[in-house]
Amino acid sequence: MSPFEHALPIWHPAASEPNHYVEFCFTVPVRDSASCRMYLHVNTTYALYINGNLADCGSYGDFPEAPVYDTLSLEDFVAPGDNAFRLQAYYQGEDSFTVIDYPPSALFSIWEKDAAFGEDGPLRSLLFSGPGIPVRRLPRYAGDVPRITPQLSFTFHYDARGPEGGLVPAVCAPHRVPEMSAFIPRPIRKLTLLPPLPSHPVLAGSVVPPAASKEDGSSGQPGMPSASSLPIQPSLSPAEQMQLSSRSLHAVTMREGMRTLPDSTGISLSCNDLILDLGSEMAGFFLLDMEVSAPTRIYVGWGEHLDDGFVRTAVGGRCFTSVLTLPAGRTRFLHPFKRIAGRYVELHIYPITSAEKISSVTKQISGEENNSDPSSGETPCDVKLYYAGLRPVYYPLQEVNLLKTENPKADRIYEVSLRTLLLCMHEHYEDCPWREQALYTMDSRNQMLMGYYAFEEYTFPAASLRLIALGLREDNYLELINPGKAPITIPSFTAIFLIQAGEYLTYSKDKQLLTELLPALRRIARGWVNRLDSTGLIPRETDLNYWNFYEWQTGLEGHSHPFPAEHGKNNQAGATGSRARAIEPANIYDAPLQGFVSLGLKAMAAIESALGYDDLSREWTRAEESIRAAFHETFFDPATGCYRSFFSEGRRAHLCELTQALALCADLVPYPLKDSVRRVLTCGLPAMEISEPLYPITLSHSIFKYEALMEDAATYGSFVFKDISRQYGFMLDQGATSFWETIDGGFAFEKAGSLCHGWSAVPIYIYLRYGADLKKEGTALLPAITGLGSISVQKKTAPGEYILGL
């Protein structure tokens, strides 16, 4: 039986534009509440309320040709008799790094056991979606709002004063999947939604928005201007209004009556700027519970640090801000449609003048409302705050391996690495929960490998591998992110997919999934073989729609020319339009690309051999040997004793640790030179007159450096463990509760660096493989080398709340 038998995808008859919300309202008579379940697919996502309670939320990111449905057990929310259902559905309406756009639709059915047939009887349908089910728009959500980031798409603005919208009959949605058999069940568990996280007021005071600053003739003294004075400059986004405001903040003391939230009695605020600390990096849904004596507008900013003295809400056009408009009285608002992440929440609170008409948040933000003088002397309204912060959500892993050593710093590094991994796992692996929430191959390769040791769980990585494979393009490269769309892709990341597929097989022994992915894997491998030219190597892509990125390091980030002296006028805006990128001349060969492809082809040969396809295994091996035969002569620089990163027409350029590490890991270095190249990774360039730098490897790719050195663990193992202690200890000393995108923290990428990045959980792998030898690979090192002393690994069940420190 199909779970959607007789059901049809439906939507509001007059709603198709991007970024809108609708609500289906219906009553369901239930007999057997214990067996009641709902099957549900919504594009883009949903929140289900039953009898006024949030029952579940969150669609699985999917592809239009392979839509995914949820199966929800309703027994905790329904009762015998009539039950009121409100299915709120959100449609993003544009491609992003987490969403592939296709027409809006809601498809659902509700079933229970048929008591007439006994306990083992079939299910009977209570309701199925179809034309005529009442639906309304949710006009309290504004449609024309800024994007949090290009990767995450829209933020939200909510006016709780507005009408709820009138009900109309739903119509059939323009759904593009005619066959119900195309729908597949969610391949992983639903996320766990926790109660509100404790939030601690840490800074409070007054704020003057840009509209009331000295530039417009006012005194510029701290005060409480009205919301109707905003904005004086319509071009400012809400995030910029928060970022550019003039603040007078002080540390909160107990004498002010500030208590940890949530607080059932509420905190009476005498300030209009309040910053709350969630205690550590978290990801979840924003929740506000506030009582005001008059209509009030709340600007909500979120971020990972207070490096600016306040929450950094605007970074290079990004908008980590939402706007809420509240009526007089108490309002409890939860936004369950898009996760936000960070450690700090900042509230700017402005009363709305009596002269201001009730209108949409959008008009106010765009400057269309009648602005009044902020120095009019209006008395601020009374504000009582019961809660502001997050309801955390996380993926419910079954078990986690907990490491205990005699080295307290190592134990803390391991614990924070676990937090970093879990904070970057929701519907799929995420690069970071704050800025992108996107599934990349490079990031997820690290996350999967660390997870094999930390969690010994294979369902989650299998689901992400399937998503990635669905993004295979006609040019045999993968989409940059999946599911999602980007104007560019990174060739080296496609090679990394072969590596992570091979590692999945090694650790899971799951041949069934690899057989399923084999057509995509072969297309990718064939694409690389077809790109080999007469040199035996693969030239770099020259079209600007390809991003020749390797890591976030000078010369390797894909935005600078491999041969700077020839850069000249060959520079223009790239396909993303966000950074200048070099027009690529032909016949440049990148050593990192050869290393990644070589590792990928090795993995592909191992996959084919494990599945019994020895002829194809040998073909991929021959292609890899072609690269190996040409690599040393092409890239080795005798003057430095190591490998240059780029080669073109007899010239070599750029020195970095990543190139040395990949050459060693891919076995591209002749045996007599291996030790000298390893020494370069620990001591830098040999003692000779070399004026140029050897660029160090970054956190994301440090695993290649560590693996290259661990090939001679007796000599270099101590260096690896000390290097982890140095780099990750530095982040801990800076107060890190999750590990950063790069060692520069929040100041990286023009102040847009993430403080939680899944690719940086590398210590888990090193500690459990080479310290504890968890999987009995014969790799355990003596405590004198690791510096960890005696080691124990214990399993903990239901680990999510433990890892998050809740």
Side-chain angles (χ1 to χ4, degrees):
M1 178 197 72
S2 167
F4 297 121
E5 186 176 1
H6 308 304
L8 294 173
I10 57 176
W11 202 252
H12 192 286
S16 60
E17 75 283 1
N19 194 46
H20 72 263
Y21 302 75
V22 301
E23 182 179 66
F24 300 90
C25 302
F26 47 89
T27 299
V28 178
V30 174
R31 297 177 186 173
D32 183 358
S33 57
S35 70
C36 191
R37 67 182 63 175
M38 184 174 189
Y39 300 94
L40 174 64
H41 172 269
V42 173
N43 179 35
T44 303
T45 191
Y46 69 89
L48 175 65
Y49 292 86
I50 302 176
N51 299 324
N53 299 309
L54 178 63
D56 217 322
C57 60
S59 293
Y60 183 83
D62 59 17
F63 285 75
E65 61 270 23
V68 175
Y69 67 86
D70 286 340
T71 302
L72 309 180
S73 175
L74 307 182
E75 63 177 309
D76 293 334
F77 301 95
V78 299
D82 289 343
N83 293 264
F85 280 65
R86 291 188 296 119
L87 175 60
Q88 295 182 347
Y90 169 66
Y91 174 58
Q92 181 171 292
E94 66 176 19
D95 292 329
S96 67
F97 274 29
T98 59
V99 170
I100 294 179
D101 183 40
Y102 57 98
S105 66
L107 180 70
F108 52 89
S109 62
I110 302 174
W111 302 75
E112 69 175 359
K113 285 184 179 178
D114 193 334
F117 292 89
E119 191 67 25
D120 298 325
L123 297 176
R124 70 183 188 92
S125 173
L126 301 180
L127 179 137
F128 49 84
S129 57
I133 286 183
V135 62
R136 61 186 171 197
R137 300 192 64 141
L138 296 178
R140 293 181 176 182
Y141 278 103
D144 185 13
V145 300
R147 289 159 181 81
I148 301 173
T149 62
Q151 294 86 358
L152 280 175
S153 194
F154 301 104
T155 186
F156 64 90
H157 294 167
Y158 185 82
D159 190 339
R161 304 170 301 168
E164 291 188 340
L167 291 168
V168 298
V171 298
C172 284
H175 206 286
R176 303 191 332 280
V177 182
E179 299 294 333
M180 291 298 105
S181 60
F183 285 84
I184 57 177
R186 176 185 280 255
I188 60 173
R189 298 178 176 186
K190 289 286 292 184
L191 300 179
T192 296
L193 175 63
L194 294 177
L197 187 73
S199 62
H200 313 277
V202 289
L203 293 172
S206 57
V207 59
V208 179
S213 65
K214 292 182 180 180
E215 285 75 7
D216 68 2
S218 66
S219 66
Q221 297 299 314
M224 182 90 80
S226 67
S228 58
S229 69
L230 296 174
I232 197 71
Q233 302 177 48
S235 61
L236 292 181
S237 71
E240 291 168 327
Q241 291 173 19
M242 291 194 75
Q243 186 75 19
L244 299 176
S245 293
S246 175
R247 296 166 172 85
S248 177
L249 293 168
H250 63 272
V252 169
T253 66
M254 292 299 294
R255 291 193 302 273
E256 297 177 82
M258 293 286 194
R259 301 177 297 276
T260 298
L261 302 174
D263 188 298
S264 60
T265 60
I267 298 173
S268 295
L269 299 183
S270 58
C271 59
N272 74 327
D273 188 355
L274 180 65
I275 297 178
L276 301 120
D277 183 358
L278 302 177
S280 59
E281 180 86 12
M282 285 290 174
F285 299 126
F286 176 72
L287 174 63
L288 178 71
D289 190 354
M290 179 180 284
E291 184 176 359
V292 294
S293 62
T296 302
R297 183 153 297 131
I298 315 295
Y299 283 63
V300 180
W302 62 90
E304 299 185 302
H305 55 76
L306 300 179
D307 289 349
D308 300 334
F310 48 83
V311 174
R312 186 179 293 167
T313 57
V315 193
R318 302 170 185 88
C319 180
F320 300 102
T321 300
S322 291
V323 183
L324 299 175
T325 307
L326 309 182
R330 184 170 176 177
T331 301
R332 192 175 191 274
F333 170 81
L334 175 73
H335 186 70
F337 301 102
K338 184 168 291 185
R339 291 184 305 278
I340 64 175
R343 175 171 176 172
Y344 299 95
V345 172
E346 182 167 5
L347 306 178
H348 287 187
I349 305 168
Y350 301 106
I352 298 173
T353 64
S354 57
E356 184 185 5
K357 296 179 181 179
I358 295 178
S359 60
S360 71
V361 175
T362 306
K363 289 184 178 180
Q364 191 279 327
I365 295 301
S366 65
E368 296 178 13
E369 295 196 9
N370 181 27
N371 295 333
S372 62
D373 184 358
S375 60
S376 60
E378 182 176 354
T379 303
C381 68
D382 295 327
V383 178
K384 184 174 283 189
L385 180 63
Y386 298 90
Y387 185 75
L390 297 183
R391 289 193 64 180
V393 288
Y394 69 88
Y395 184 71
L397 293 158
Q398 289 183 300
E399 291 184 330
V400 63
N401 290 317
L402 302 181
L403 180 71
K404 185 64 177 176
T405 75
E406 294 180 309
N407 184 325
K409 181 191 285 188
D411 289 350
R412 182 59 180 156
I413 289 172
Y414 184 83
E415 290 169 2
V416 175
S417 295
L418 284 178
R419 289 195 83 252
T420 304
L421 273 188
L422 189 62
L423 286 167
C424 297
M425 294 173 65
H426 289 99
E427 277 78 19
H428 49 66
Y429 294 103
E430 300 166 355
D431 61 333
C432 62
W434 168 66
R435 195 187 62 221
E436 297 188 16
Q437 301 178 18
L439 173 59
Y440 293 87
T441 59
M442 173 61 227
D443 303 63
S444 64
R445 181 265 172 168
N446 279 12
Q447 292 166 285
M448 289 178 187
L449 187 57
M450 312 315 139
Y452 299 147
Y453 287 83
F455 311 134
E456 299 189 78
E457 191 267 357
Y458 305 103
T459 300
F460 196 92
S464 288
L465 288 170
R466 286 190 180 95
L467 280 176
I468 294 170
L470 286 170
L472 184 57
R473 310 176 345 160
E474 290 185 1
D475 59 3
N476 292 329
Y477 286 125
L478 292 163
E479 288 284 353
L480 179 64
I481 34 77
N482 293 287
K485 290 288 184 182
I488 56 174
T489 194
I490 298 176
S492 65
F493 281 20
T494 295
I496 290 171
F497 182 61
L498 300 179
I499 299 171
Q500 64 188 138
E503 289 172 342
Y504 174 83
L505 179 60
T506 296
Y507 289 101
S508 71
K509 314 301 182 187
D510 179 6
K511 294 184 180 181
Q512 181 176 345
L513 176 66
L514 269 294
T515 301
E516 176 187 331
L517 299 181
L518 203 51
L521 295 171
R522 284 174 175 168
R523 275 187 56 192
I524 290 170
R526 180 69 59 200
W528 289 120
V529 171
N530 290 343
R531 294 183 187 97
L532 289 167
D533 66 13
S534 59
T535 67
L537 301 172
I538 297 171
R540 70 157 43 195
E541 294 286 358
T542 59
D543 191 292
L544 285 175
N545 290 313
Y546 299 104
W547 180 11
N548 295 303
F549 172 89
Y550 299 108
E551 68 169 335
W552 287 118
Q553 182 55 277
T554 302
L556 300 174
E557 79 295 323
H559 297 301
S560 54
H561 199 285
F563 296 90
E566 295 185 358
H567 197 178
K569 63 181 181 179
N570 287 338
N571 193 47
Q572 69 178 32
T576 61
S578 60
R579 294 176 181 264
R581 291 175 56 205
I583 297 176
E584 305 287 7
N587 300 321
I588 291 182
Y589 298 87
D590 300 355
L593 180 63
Q594 316 308 317
F596 283 123
V597 173
S598 180
L599 288 169
L601 291 173
K602 285 176 183 289
M604 193 63 200
I607 290 170
E608 298 277 16
S609 179
L611 298 180
Y613 299 103
D614 292 336
D615 288 346
L616 280 170
S617 177
R618 286 189 288 270
E619 179 180 351
W620 310 132
T621 297
R622 285 192 296 272
E624 185 274 326
E625 289 171 346
S626 168
I627 295 173
R628 194 187 324 160
F631 184 88
H632 178 75
E633 181 179 352
T634 303
F635 297 104
F636 188 70
D637 178 10
T640 62
C642 55
Y643 294 89
R644 296 275 182 174
S645 302
F646 306 110
F647 175 87
S648 179
E649 298 177 351
R651 297 160 301 164
R652 302 180 181 92
H654 195 269
L655 292 167
C656 68
E657 289 187 344
L658 176 62
T659 296
Q660 318 314 311
L662 287 172
L664 287 164
C665 289
D667 196 24
L668 301 175
V669 182
Y671 182 79
L673 292 175
K674 284 189 175 183
D675 192 62
S676 63
V677 175
R678 287 195 191 99
R679 284 199 300 272
V680 168
L681 291 175
T682 60
C683 305
L685 292 171
M688 53 184 69
E689 293 185 6
I690 301 296
S691 59
E692 60 186 297
L694 176 78
Y695 292 106
I697 210 160
T698 61
L699 294 175
S700 60
H701 290 64
S702 63
I703 186 170
F704 294 106
K705 175 177 178 175
Y706 296 153
E707 286 282 70
L709 294 173
M710 284 301 188
E711 290 177 354
D712 185 359
T715 303
Y716 298 104
S718 180
F719 173 89
V720 169
F721 281 85
K722 288 179 180 178
D723 195 62
I724 288 174
S725 180
R726 175 183 63 85
Q727 295 213 70
Y728 287 83
F730 169 78
M731 289 185 274
L732 292 181
D733 291 343
Q734 306 306 306
T737 61
S738 55
F739 288 132
W740 308 343
E741 186 172 9
T742 74
I743 204 66
D744 295 326
F747 291 101
F749 314 120
E750 300 174 338
K751 297 187 175 182
S754 163
L755 298 191
C756 179
H757 227 78
W759 67 18
S760 295
V762 173
I764 291 173
Y765 173 76
I766 299 299
Y767 286 171
L768 292 183
R769 178 169 184 179
Y770 297 104
D773 193 15
L774 181 71
K775 295 187 176 296
K776 310 303 179 187
E777 296 163 289
T779 57
L781 302 178
L782 295 173
I785 293 177
T786 66
L788 302 181
S790 63
I791 297 173
S792 65
V793 179
Q794 297 179 336
K795 291 188 181 296
K796 184 174 181 66
T797 57
E801 296 180 30
Y802 172 84
I803 295 174
L804 294 176
L806 302 175

